Amino acid sequence: MQKKVKCEDSNECKKPKRTKGEIEEARQLKIKKKEEEEQSRWRWWEEEKYEDGVKWRFLEHSGPYFPPEYQPLPDNVHFYYDGKKVKLSLAAEEVALFFAQMLDHEYTTKKVFRENFFKDWRKEMTDAERSLIQDLGKCDFGEIHAMHKAKVEARKNMTKEEKQALKEANQKIVDEFGYCLLDHHRERIGNFKIEPPGLFRGRGEHPKQGMLKKRIQPEDIIINCSKEACIPVPPAGHRWKEVRHDNTVTWLVSWTENIQGSIKYIMLNANSKLKGEKDWEKYEVARKLKSCVDNIRSQYRSDLKSRQMSTRQRAVALYFIDKLALRAGNEKEEGETADTVGCCSLRVEHITLHEQMDGKEYVVEFDFLGKDSIRYYNKVPVIKKTSMLNKHLSSLMPGLTAKVFRTYNASITLQEQLKELTNKSDSVAEKLLSYNRANRAVAILCNHQRAPPKTFDQSMATLQSKIDARKEQLALAKSGLKQAKKEAKAKGSSEFKLQTLVERKKAAVKRCEEQLLKMEIQATDREENKQIALGTSKLNYLDPRISVAWCKNMGLPVDKIYNKSQRDKFAWAIDMTEVDFEF
DNA sequence: AGTGCTACTTAGCACCAGCGGC
DNA sequence: GCCGCTGGTGCTAAGTAGCACT
């Protein structure tokens, strides 16, 4: 059996999967599809903006997609209480399954999680069940758990055909529910599926972990669309909670979740006009800050010495927000969420002051949990109230709030770092390493962390062994070249065959060196990125025009730094940015 | 000025399709 | 042709901030 690679080289392949013509055809089709996509793309950034507050003029959609109904346990799967078989009511059984599914997770060993779960589970039980089942410790979910594991396994072992059928079914759902019509343009919806019921998993030490997240019914759903539009049809036998026609908001569907009582929304995809325009606007505000940031900085420096305590506090907060890119830190209701803080909600215990530390004077040591319970730890040498702070900021510049500083400092850092780190003469791999390093500087500033990938050590080791192998190969190639040169010299340079051999060997050495360099760069990049997440800043804080301009300057295609969905999201920037763009 | 509500952005993680290497 | 790995995607929690109301 010949290898596929060879197939493409020769036409004498015995069983070619696709002929050259077919391959070419497929390629053409791909190009055509891309062109069509480009053709049909709504170039909203070239259009006039709507009057203030108006988000759309026409909106039509199919409503939300509901998760499947609960399927009762088969007769051979049982739940046991205190060693005795118990047939649960449908409602209680469904919640039991939620817990059983998570049994491998350490969540289910936590006291808070178990207590919350048990309390909410009992609410779903019949009176008889409730009086019987009093102790979670006596519950045996073993068979249910095993059934769940078997199901997961079976799904993994599906045949190609089954997988294909599933994929097609999913595609059908996307086709029906995944798009809406907004002002004559078909737009992709971001999250058109209603969140399925289950047990709430907060982040960090969340006081509500384990509570039952209830199944959402059509009767809980508010639909938002045009008066003139076809109103989405609720599932048979059901009705919507409300249908409204509010074009000052961007959501299509909303409901209230039962854990925090907050509202959830169905909104458009990041590549839509509504999201893109807002994103663009965000970076424009941040750019404006550039022109007045010097003034603002000198003002808060002098405010540090103000006689008014509140002014001094404001100055300190602003200093942290600017210098450390801290989040604003809104007030939160105590006991409702994990105990996390931002700039204005920092408490005394989060800060230690040192007159001297690590050879530096006047060091502030920060140690607190921020958004998503991610630890912020930093030591900074230095020279409460959010709404007040934002009011002050907006008086300094229209549109200025605390979070604009994060956007501003992130974007300006990227721009400066790119300028500092990259040269036009660098290789592609080197340029990309520099780009990632610039991106990394921003991620560190913004404290965007990730858990080191589970397979990190292992995958580094494999990469290292590949590098070692390549090194050996290079040594071999080099000695081969030397040998060839020697022979060529001995036989005289007139020998044409030997000359080409030398050239060939030279090329092999060069290729080898390039590949080695590329892998070494990759290893460096990966190592430096072990605990850093680049995606968040790339997607939310870095003005894409900086990156697009940089690519143009460096002669790199944008798809080296942006994948498909990122290119979609930033289509406006890719289209409008010139080489000389300055943030 | 404080508060609650609403709307929207930002965030990390689980999962899996698809790709390259063998 | 298979298998392991990883980048991309989906999911949904957790933030920010404006506004209406008191």
Side-chain angles (χ1 to χ4, degrees), chain A residues 173-207:
Chain A
I173 295 168
V174 174
D175 291 342
E176 186 178 350
F177 293 94
Y179 296 86
C180 73
L181 208 54
L182 189 142
D183 297 343
H184 309 299
H185 296 272
R186 192 164 178 259
E187 295 259 60
R188 183 87 203 262
I189 299 169
N191 58 321
F192 55 88
K193 289 180 176 167
I194 295 289
E195 294 172 17
L199 302 184
F200 176 76
R201 316 152 75 126
R203 318 232 168 103
E205 290 302 316
H206 203 295

mmCIF file of all heavy atoms in Angstrom, chain A residues 173-207:
data_model
loop_
_atom_site.group_PDB
_atom_site.id
_atom_site.type_symbol
_atom_site.label_atom_id
_atom_site.label_comp_id
_atom_site.label_asym_id
_atom_site.label_seq_id
_atom_site.Cartn_x
_atom_site.Cartn_y
_atom_site.Cartn_z
ATOM 1 N N ILE A 173 -30.243 21.672 13.515
ATOM 2 C CA ILE A 173 -30.657 22.539 14.620
ATOM 3 C C ILE A 173 -30.057 23.932 14.443
ATOM 4 O O ILE A 173 -30.739 24.944 14.627
ATOM 5 C CB ILE A 173 -30.227 21.931 15.975
ATOM 6 C CG1 ILE A 173 -30.985 20.620 16.202
ATOM 7 C CG2 ILE A 173 -30.479 22.893 17.114
ATOM 8 C CD1 ILE A 173 -30.461 19.785 17.347
ATOM 9 N N VAL A 174 -28.761 23.948 14.075
ATOM 10 C CA VAL A 174 -28.105 25.239 13.864
ATOM 11 C C VAL A 174 -28.811 26.004 12.733
ATOM 12 O O VAL A 174 -29.078 27.199 12.861
ATOM 13 C CB VAL A 174 -26.610 25.065 13.528
ATOM 14 C CG1 VAL A 174 -25.975 26.393 13.158
ATOM 15 C CG2 VAL A 174 -25.869 24.444 14.701
ATOM 16 N N ASP A 175 -29.107 25.284 11.654
ATOM 17 C CA ASP A 175 -29.766 25.952 10.532
ATOM 18 C C ASP A 175 -31.102 26.552 10.939
ATOM 19 O O ASP A 175 -31.462 27.643 10.507
ATOM 20 C CB ASP A 175 -29.992 24.957 9.382
ATOM 21 C CG ASP A 175 -28.695 24.544 8.721
ATOM 22 O OD1 ASP A 175 -27.686 25.274 8.926
ATOM 23 O OD2 ASP A 175 -28.655 23.508 8.045
ATOM 24 N N GLU A 176 -31.822 25.817 11.786
ATOM 25 C CA GLU A 176 -33.144 26.309 12.148
ATOM 26 C C GLU A 176 -33.108 27.394 13.216
ATOM 27 O O GLU A 176 -33.840 28.375 13.138
ATOM 28 C CB GLU A 176 -34.030 25.148 12.622
ATOM 29 C CG GLU A 176 -35.457 25.625 12.853
ATOM 30 C CD GLU A 176 -36.410 24.518 13.276
ATOM 31 O OE1 GLU A 176 -36.008 23.332 13.207
ATOM 32 O OE2 GLU A 176 -37.540 24.846 13.673
ATOM 33 N N PHE A 177 -32.262 27.216 14.234
ATOM 34 C CA PHE A 177 -32.298 28.128 15.378
ATOM 35 C C PHE A 177 -31.092 29.058 15.471
ATOM 36 O O PHE A 177 -31.102 29.974 16.264
ATOM 37 C CB PHE A 177 -32.392 27.325 16.677
ATOM 38 C CG PHE A 177 -33.689 26.602 16.838
ATOM 39 C CD1 PHE A 177 -33.827 25.277 16.427
ATOM 40 C CD2 PHE A 177 -34.795 27.237 17.388
ATOM 41 C CE1 PHE A 177 -35.031 24.608 16.569
ATOM 42 C CE2 PHE A 177 -36.001 26.576 17.541
ATOM 43 C CZ PHE A 177 -36.122 25.259 17.115
ATOM 44 N N GLY A 178 -30.057 28.797 14.708
ATOM 45 C CA GLY A 178 -28.787 29.490 14.902
ATOM 46 C C GLY A 178 -28.648 30.838 14.232
ATOM 47 O O GLY A 178 -27.620 31.499 14.394
ATOM 48 N N TYR A 179 -29.655 31.241 13.473
ATOM 49 C CA TYR A 179 -29.545 32.511 12.758
ATOM 50 C C TYR A 179 -30.784 33.368 12.973
ATOM 51 O O TYR A 179 -31.860 32.853 13.276
ATOM 52 C CB TYR A 179 -29.389 32.254 11.250
ATOM 53 C CG TYR A 179 -28.123 31.524 10.902
ATOM 54 C CD1 TYR A 179 -28.071 30.139 10.943
ATOM 55 C CD2 TYR A 179 -26.962 32.228 10.554
ATOM 56 C CE1 TYR A 179 -26.912 29.453 10.641
ATOM 57 C CE2 TYR A 179 -25.800 31.556 10.243
ATOM 58 C CZ TYR A 179 -25.775 30.170 10.286
ATOM 59 O OH TYR A 179 -24.614 29.508 9.986
ATOM 60 N N CYS A 180 -30.599 34.666 12.814
ATOM 61 C CA CYS A 180 -31.750 35.554 12.851
ATOM 62 C C CYS A 180 -31.652 36.522 11.682
ATOM 63 O O CYS A 180 -30.635 36.556 10.973
ATOM 64 C CB CYS A 180 -31.808 36.322 14.167
ATOM 65 S SG CYS A 180 -30.565 37.598 14.299
ATOM 66 N N LEU A 181 -32.722 37.255 11.486
ATOM 67 C CA LEU A 181 -32.731 38.260 10.435
ATOM 68 C C LEU A 181 -32.742 39.622 11.123
ATOM 69 O O LEU A 181 -33.661 39.921 11.885
ATOM 70 C CB LEU A 181 -33.990 38.083 9.575
ATOM 71 C CG LEU A 181 -33.882 38.528 8.121
ATOM 72 C CD1 LEU A 181 -32.696 37.853 7.445
ATOM 73 C CD2 LEU A 181 -35.176 38.199 7.387
ATOM 74 N N LEU A 182 -31.685 40.398 10.899
ATOM 75 C CA LEU A 182 -31.594 41.695 11.547
ATOM 76 C C LEU A 182 -31.368 42.754 10.477
ATOM 77 O O LEU A 182 -30.333 42.735 9.798
ATOM 78 C CB LEU A 182 -30.451 41.685 12.571
ATOM 79 C CG LEU A 182 -30.365 42.898 13.483
ATOM 80 C CD1 LEU A 182 -29.967 42.492 14.878
ATOM 81 C CD2 LEU A 182 -29.388 43.936 12.958
ATOM 82 N N ASP A 183 -32.347 43.607 10.290
ATOM 83 C CA ASP A 183 -32.270 44.656 9.274
ATOM 84 C C ASP A 183 -31.812 44.106 7.926
ATOM 85 O O ASP A 183 -30.831 44.583 7.338
ATOM 86 C CB ASP A 183 -31.358 45.792 9.745
ATOM 87 C CG ASP A 183 -31.942 46.456 10.979
ATOM 88 O OD1 ASP A 183 -33.145 46.271 11.249
ATOM 89 O OD2 ASP A 183 -31.197 47.162 11.680
ATOM 90 N N HIS A 184 -32.517 43.092 7.445
ATOM 91 C CA HIS A 184 -32.304 42.481 6.126
ATOM 92 C C HIS A 184 -31.036 41.652 6.020
ATOM 93 O O HIS A 184 -30.695 41.180 4.951
ATOM 94 C CB HIS A 184 -32.280 43.542 5.008
ATOM 95 C CG HIS A 184 -33.451 44.450 5.076
ATOM 96 N ND1 HIS A 184 -34.739 43.987 4.962
ATOM 97 C CD2 HIS A 184 -33.531 45.781 5.277
ATOM 98 C CE1 HIS A 184 -35.569 45.010 5.083
ATOM 99 N NE2 HIS A 184 -34.877 46.107 5.279
ATOM 100 N N HIS A 185 -30.319 41.474 7.111
ATOM 101 C CA HIS A 185 -29.109 40.666 7.045
ATOM 102 C C HIS A 185 -29.241 39.451 7.940
ATOM 103 O O HIS A 185 -29.773 39.537 9.044
ATOM 104 C CB HIS A 185 -27.882 41.488 7.450
ATOM 105 C CG HIS A 185 -27.602 42.615 6.519
ATOM 106 N ND1 HIS A 185 -26.828 42.460 5.397
ATOM 107 C CD2 HIS A 185 -28.025 43.901 6.520
ATOM 108 C CE1 HIS A 185 -26.764 43.615 4.756
ATOM 109 N NE2 HIS A 185 -27.482 44.501 5.410
ATOM 110 N N ARG A 186 -28.742 38.314 7.429
ATOM 111 C CA ARG A 186 -28.773 37.089 8.208
ATOM 112 C C ARG A 186 -27.579 37.106 9.155
ATOM 113 O O ARG A 186 -26.431 37.192 8.722
ATOM 114 C CB ARG A 186 -28.681 35.899 7.262
ATOM 115 C CG ARG A 186 -28.972 34.565 7.881
ATOM 116 C CD ARG A 186 -29.231 33.560 6.755
ATOM 117 N NE ARG A 186 -29.468 32.222 7.279
ATOM 118 C CZ ARG A 186 -28.551 31.264 7.300
ATOM 119 N NH1 ARG A 186 -27.334 31.493 6.829
ATOM 120 N NH2 ARG A 186 -28.842 30.072 7.786
ATOM 121 N N GLU A 187 -27.848 37.027 10.443
ATOM 122 C CA GLU A 187 -26.770 37.084 11.424
ATOM 123 C C GLU A 187 -26.758 35.828 12.279
ATOM 124 O O GLU A 187 -27.813 35.283 12.634
ATOM 125 C CB GLU A 187 -26.944 38.308 12.334
ATOM 126 C CG GLU A 187 -26.816 39.635 11.597
ATOM 127 C CD GLU A 187 -25.474 40.296 11.790
ATOM 128 O OE1 GLU A 187 -24.453 39.660 11.420
ATOM 129 O OE2 GLU A 187 -25.446 41.422 12.286
ATOM 130 N N ARG A 188 -25.577 35.407 12.636
ATOM 131 C CA ARG A 188 -25.405 34.221 13.474
ATOM 132 C C ARG A 188 -25.691 34.576 14.925
ATOM 133 O O ARG A 188 -25.249 35.620 15.416
ATOM 134 C CB ARG A 188 -23.959 33.740 13.316
ATOM 135 C CG ARG A 188 -23.594 32.497 14.040
ATOM 136 C CD ARG A 188 -23.902 31.263 13.225
ATOM 137 N NE ARG A 188 -24.047 30.112 14.099
ATOM 138 C CZ ARG A 188 -23.074 29.234 14.325
ATOM 139 N NH1 ARG A 188 -21.928 29.351 13.714
ATOM 140 N NH2 ARG A 188 -23.257 28.222 15.148
ATOM 141 N N ILE A 189 -26.424 33.686 15.603
ATOM 142 C CA ILE A 189 -26.712 33.887 17.021
ATOM 143 C C ILE A 189 -25.607 33.242 17.848
ATOM 144 O O ILE A 189 -25.067 32.203 17.479
ATOM 145 C CB ILE A 189 -28.089 33.294 17.374
ATOM 146 C CG1 ILE A 189 -29.184 34.003 16.567
ATOM 147 C CG2 ILE A 189 -28.367 33.397 18.862
ATOM 148 C CD1 ILE A 189 -30.535 33.338 16.639
ATOM 149 N N GLY A 190 -25.240 33.862 18.952
ATOM 150 C CA GLY A 190 -24.139 33.346 19.772
ATOM 151 C C GLY A 190 -24.522 32.097 20.531
ATOM 152 O O GLY A 190 -23.887 31.055 20.415
ATOM 153 N N ASN A 191 -25.579 32.176 21.330
ATOM 154 C CA ASN A 191 -26.018 31.049 22.172
ATOM 155 C C ASN A 191 -27.510 30.872 22.012
ATOM 156 O O ASN A 191 -28.273 31.490 22.714
ATOM 157 C CB ASN A 191 -25.691 31.355 23.631
ATOM 158 C CG ASN A 191 -26.361 32.637 24.104
ATOM 159 O OD1 ASN A 191 -26.446 33.619 23.352
ATOM 160 N ND2 ASN A 191 -26.859 32.650 25.317
ATOM 161 N N PHE A 192 -27.923 30.032 21.114
ATOM 162 C CA PHE A 192 -29.363 29.903 20.879
ATOM 163 C C PHE A 192 -29.982 28.762 21.682
ATOM 164 O O PHE A 192 -31.175 28.552 21.656
ATOM 165 C CB PHE A 192 -29.649 29.714 19.386
ATOM 166 C CG PHE A 192 -28.902 28.560 18.785
ATOM 167 C CD1 PHE A 192 -29.463 27.299 18.808
ATOM 168 C CD2 PHE A 192 -27.639 28.744 18.229
ATOM 169 C CE1 PHE A 192 -28.781 26.221 18.276
ATOM 170 C CE2 PHE A 192 -26.952 27.665 17.695
ATOM 171 C CZ PHE A 192 -27.515 26.404 17.719
ATOM 172 N N LYS A 193 -29.144 28.011 22.415
ATOM 173 C CA LYS A 193 -29.662 26.894 23.200
ATOM 174 C C LYS A 193 -29.938 27.327 24.635
ATOM 175 O O LYS A 193 -29.100 27.984 25.261
ATOM 176 C CB LYS A 193 -28.646 25.750 23.215
ATOM 177 C CG LYS A 193 -28.544 25.057 21.882
ATOM 178 C CD LYS A 193 -27.527 23.940 21.954
ATOM 179 C CE LYS A 193 -27.491 23.180 20.643
ATOM 180 N NZ LYS A 193 -26.309 22.307 20.567
ATOM 181 N N ILE A 194 -31.105 26.925 25.125
ATOM 182 C CA ILE A 194 -31.419 27.151 26.531
ATOM 183 C C ILE A 194 -30.483 26.293 27.377
ATOM 184 O O ILE A 194 -30.237 25.131 27.056
ATOM 185 C CB ILE A 194 -32.882 26.757 26.815
ATOM 186 C CG1 ILE A 194 -33.838 27.671 26.041
ATOM 187 C CG2 ILE A 194 -33.184 26.769 28.305
ATOM 188 C CD1 ILE A 194 -33.904 29.075 26.543
ATOM 189 N N GLU A 195 -29.964 26.863 28.466
ATOM 190 C CA GLU A 195 -29.055 26.113 29.324
ATOM 191 C C GLU A 195 -29.795 24.946 29.964
ATOM 192 O O GLU A 195 -30.844 25.138 30.562
ATOM 193 C CB GLU A 195 -28.483 27.032 30.401
ATOM 194 C CG GLU A 195 -27.593 28.116 29.807
ATOM 195 C CD GLU A 195 -27.167 29.146 30.843
ATOM 196 O OE1 GLU A 195 -27.274 28.864 32.051
ATOM 197 O OE2 GLU A 195 -26.721 30.236 30.439
ATOM 198 N N PRO A 196 -29.276 23.728 29.820
ATOM 199 C CA PRO A 196 -29.962 22.569 30.389
ATOM 200 C C PRO A 196 -29.931 22.597 31.912
ATOM 201 O O PRO A 196 -29.061 23.228 32.515
ATOM 202 C CB PRO A 196 -29.164 21.385 29.846
ATOM 203 C CG PRO A 196 -27.872 21.938 29.375
ATOM 204 C CD PRO A 196 -28.061 23.380 29.087
ATOM 205 N N PRO A 197 -30.878 21.878 32.547
ATOM 206 C CA PRO A 197 -30.863 21.828 34.012
ATOM 207 C C PRO A 197 -29.663 21.030 34.496
ATOM 208 O O PRO A 197 -29.063 20.270 33.739
ATOM 209 C CB PRO A 197 -32.167 21.106 34.339
ATOM 210 C CG PRO A 197 -32.457 20.270 33.127
ATOM 211 C CD PRO A 197 -31.938 21.069 31.960
ATOM 212 N N GLY A 198 -29.336 21.206 35.766
ATOM 213 C CA GLY A 198 -28.201 20.489 36.336
ATOM 214 C C GLY A 198 -27.886 21.054 37.704
ATOM 215 O O GLY A 198 -28.676 21.810 38.269
ATOM 216 N N LEU A 199 -26.711 20.683 38.222
ATOM 217 C CA LEU A 199 -26.307 21.222 39.518
ATOM 218 C C LEU A 199 -25.363 22.387 39.292
ATOM 219 O O LEU A 199 -24.432 22.292 38.493
ATOM 220 C CB LEU A 199 -25.637 20.133 40.354
ATOM 221 C CG LEU A 199 -26.508 18.894 40.594
ATOM 222 C CD1 LEU A 199 -25.801 17.917 41.516
ATOM 223 C CD2 LEU A 199 -27.884 19.264 41.147
ATOM 224 N N PHE A 200 -25.620 23.475 39.970
ATOM 225 C CA PHE A 200 -24.827 24.688 39.783
ATOM 226 C C PHE A 200 -23.380 24.459 40.221
ATOM 227 O O PHE A 200 -23.115 23.932 41.293
ATOM 228 C CB PHE A 200 -25.455 25.825 40.581
ATOM 229 C CG PHE A 200 -24.667 27.096 40.528
ATOM 230 C CD1 PHE A 200 -24.695 27.889 39.400
ATOM 231 C CD2 PHE A 200 -23.883 27.483 41.611
ATOM 232 C CE1 PHE A 200 -23.968 29.068 39.349
ATOM 233 C CE2 PHE A 200 -23.157 28.665 41.562
ATOM 234 C CZ PHE A 200 -23.190 29.453 40.431
ATOM 235 N N ARG A 201 -22.473 24.852 39.354
ATOM 236 C CA ARG A 201 -21.039 24.763 39.692
ATOM 237 C C ARG A 201 -20.480 26.167 39.613
ATOM 238 O O ARG A 201 -20.171 26.651 38.556
ATOM 239 C CB ARG A 201 -20.309 23.878 38.675
ATOM 240 C CG ARG A 201 -21.063 22.609 38.330
ATOM 241 C CD ARG A 201 -20.731 22.142 36.924
ATOM 242 N NE ARG A 201 -19.412 21.540 36.868
ATOM 243 C CZ ARG A 201 -19.193 20.323 36.374
ATOM 244 N NH1 ARG A 201 -20.171 19.603 35.909
ATOM 245 N NH2 ARG A 201 -17.970 19.848 36.327
ATOM 246 N N GLY A 202 -20.358 26.797 40.762
ATOM 247 C CA GLY A 202 -19.735 28.125 40.768
ATOM 248 C C GLY A 202 -18.245 27.983 40.706
ATOM 249 O O GLY A 202 -17.712 26.874 40.711
ATOM 250 N N ARG A 203 -17.530 29.099 40.639
ATOM 251 C CA ARG A 203 -16.067 29.057 40.673
ATOM 252 C C ARG A 203 -15.597 29.436 42.069
ATOM 253 O O ARG A 203 -16.197 30.275 42.717
ATOM 254 C CB ARG A 203 -15.507 30.037 39.643
ATOM 255 C CG ARG A 203 -16.271 30.002 38.329
ATOM 256 C CD ARG A 203 -15.400 29.819 37.118
ATOM 257 N NE ARG A 203 -16.216 29.527 35.951
ATOM 258 C CZ ARG A 203 -16.493 30.426 34.993
ATOM 259 N NH1 ARG A 203 -15.984 31.635 35.060
ATOM 260 N NH2 ARG A 203 -17.242 30.082 33.973
ATOM 261 N N GLY A 204 -14.520 28.824 42.495
ATOM 262 C CA GLY A 204 -13.972 29.116 43.810
ATOM 263 C C GLY A 204 -14.880 28.573 44.908
ATOM 264 O O GLY A 204 -15.637 27.635 44.685
ATOM 265 N N GLU A 205 -14.803 29.183 46.089
ATOM 266 C CA GLU A 205 -15.609 28.720 47.214
ATOM 267 C C GLU A 205 -16.990 29.338 47.122
ATOM 268 O O GLU A 205 -17.325 30.243 47.864
ATOM 269 C CB GLU A 205 -14.927 29.085 48.533
ATOM 270 C CG GLU A 205 -13.654 28.291 48.810
ATOM 271 C CD GLU A 205 -13.903 26.787 48.822
ATOM 272 O OE1 GLU A 205 -14.891 26.330 49.419
ATOM 273 O OE2 GLU A 205 -13.083 26.064 48.197
ATOM 274 N N HIS A 206 -17.781 28.853 46.214
ATOM 275 C CA HIS A 206 -19.088 29.469 45.987
ATOM 276 C C HIS A 206 -20.114 28.933 46.963
ATOM 277 O O HIS A 206 -20.298 27.724 47.056
ATOM 278 C CB HIS A 206 -19.553 29.212 44.558
ATOM 279 C CG HIS A 206 -20.553 30.209 44.093
ATOM 280 N ND1 HIS A 206 -21.803 30.309 44.669
ATOM 281 C CD2 HIS A 206 -20.490 31.177 43.147
ATOM 282 C CE1 HIS A 206 -22.468 31.293 44.077
ATOM 283 N NE2 HIS A 206 -21.694 31.833 43.158
ATOM 284 N N PRO A 207 -20.789 29.839 47.705
ATOM 285 C CA PRO A 207 -21.742 29.365 48.717
ATOM 286 C C PRO A 207 -22.947 28.647 48.123
ATOM 287 O O PRO A 207 -23.652 27.955 48.835
ATOM 288 C CB PRO A 207 -22.168 30.644 49.436
ATOM 289 C CG PRO A 207 -21.822 31.763 48.526
ATOM 290 C CD PRO A 207 -20.661 31.296 47.715
#
